Amino acid sequence: MPIPRARGIITTLDTETVVFGYFTWNQVFALVELYKSTMKSNENWWSFYRGREVIKVAALSRLFVFGIAQFSGLLTSDYDSSFDNLIPNQANFSFIQNIIKNIVKVYTRWDSFYYLGIAQKGYTYEQEYAFSPMLPLIINFFANTVLYPLHKILGEQLLYMVSGILVANLFFVASAIALYRLGLVLFKNEKFAYLSTVVYCVSPANIFLSAM
């Protein structure tokens, strides 16, 4: 399946053009320069500071959120029942497919449907242009490369859902690392940078950062 292309998202390179949904080019360039300064000033952050510990905290927080999400899903009924419309022929699902369906169901809500559709088919409806192309592109890439051996087991729809959730959680860990390093640069205080990252990881609202 070809990777969907983002058409009409950016037409000019005006520095005030809004890109990636939220930022102007000027802001993007400023973020790139800030990241470069972070790389230069913390070349030994991994070994000298608590880089490994930050990754462990971020990963463990995802497992904790996963447990809470699954437990909550068992105790409560669905407010948004549109998930079932995404997967036809559920009656023919295998045992493994039913297990995976119940796992990903908690994380596939609201805007996830748009990202999933763009990842599979590209931009087909006008309202989909409100969603940036990067996440669907990465979901598509993982589904057609790393996770493709699971295609026969899961089917296309579940495969893309698993890909989206995996990508979201990997990028959450990456964002925790970025926040920690940014704290080191801005505040010159390792303890404050570390505690800020921990609070970010355990925030109750960050279940949204694990969803597609």
Side-chain angles (χ1 to χ4, degrees), residues 15-52:
T15 55
E16 294 303 320
T17 298
V18 176
V19 294
F20 307 126
Y22 304 98
F23 304 106
T24 65
W25 277 115
N26 278 335
Q27 291 171 323
V28 171
F29 295 149
L31 288 171
V32 170
E33 291 302 318
L34 180 60
Y35 179 75
K36 287 180 179 179
S37 67
T38 304
M39 293 291 289
K40 292 178 181 178
S41 60
N42 289 297
E43 293 178 355
N44 297 321
W45 75 280
W46 176 265
S47 57
F48 185 74
Y49 297 114
R50 287 185 276 190
R52 292 184 178 88

Side-chain angles (χ1 to χ4, degrees), residues 143-153 159:
N144 287 283
T145 54
V146 180
L147 299 177
Y148 190 75
L150 299 176
H151 186 274
K152 291 184 178 180
I153 300 174
L159 179 67

Side-chain angles (χ1 to χ4, degrees), residues 6-7 26 33 38 55 62 75-76 79 84 97 103 116-117 124 131 138:
R7 299 186 179 90
N26 278 335
E33 291 302 318
T38 304
I55 293 177
R62 295 309 86 201
L75 295 180
T76 59
Y79 171 74
D84 292 327
Q97 285 177 312
I103 291 175
L116 187 65
T124 55
F131 299 90
I138 298 174

Side-chain angles (χ1 to χ4, degrees), residues 82-196:
S82 55
F83 173 85
D84 292 327
N85 297 328
L86 288 174
I87 306 179
N89 304 320
Q90 293 187 37
N92 299 324
F93 268 14
S94 66
F95 177 73
I96 294 178
Q97 285 177 312
N98 277 311
I99 292 177
I100 299 300
K101 181 198 74 172
N102 291 327
I103 291 175
V104 302
K105 189 175 184 178
V106 179
Y107 293 111
T108 311
R109 291 287 189 273
W110 308 109
D111 292 348
S112 301
F113 303 137
Y114 290 102
Y115 285 118
L116 187 65
I118 297 169
Q120 290 181 280
K121 304 173 185 177
Y123 289 87
T124 55
Y125 299 101
E126 182 179 353
Q127 63 266 31
E128 291 176 346
Y129 283 92
F131 299 90
S132 302
M134 185 60 70
L135 179 58
L137 285 169
I138 298 174
I139 292 173
N140 183 287
F141 174 78
F142 269 78
N144 287 283
T145 54
V146 180
L147 299 177
Y148 190 75
L150 299 176
H151 186 274
K152 291 184 178 180
I153 300 174
L154 301 180
E156 181 177 317
Q157 199 75 349
L158 283 177
L159 179 67
Y160 272 82
M161 291 179 182
V162 170
S163 177
I165 295 167
L166 176 63
V167 168
N169 283 274
L170 288 175
F171 273 90
F172 176 87
V173 175
S175 70
I177 297 170
L179 178 63
Y180 176 64
R181 297 186 64 169
L182 184 62
L184 292 175
V185 172
L186 295 181
F187 301 105
K188 312 297 183 184
N189 186 321
E190 194 278 334
K191 184 177 181 180
F192 182 81
Y194 177 74
L195 290 177
S196 299

Side-chain angles (χ1 to χ4, degrees), residues 54 57 176-177 179-180 192-202:
V54 166
V57 170
I177 297 170
L179 178 63
Y180 176 64
F192 182 81
Y194 177 74
L195 290 177
S196 299
T197 306
V198 171
V199 171
Y200 168 69
C201 289
V202 300

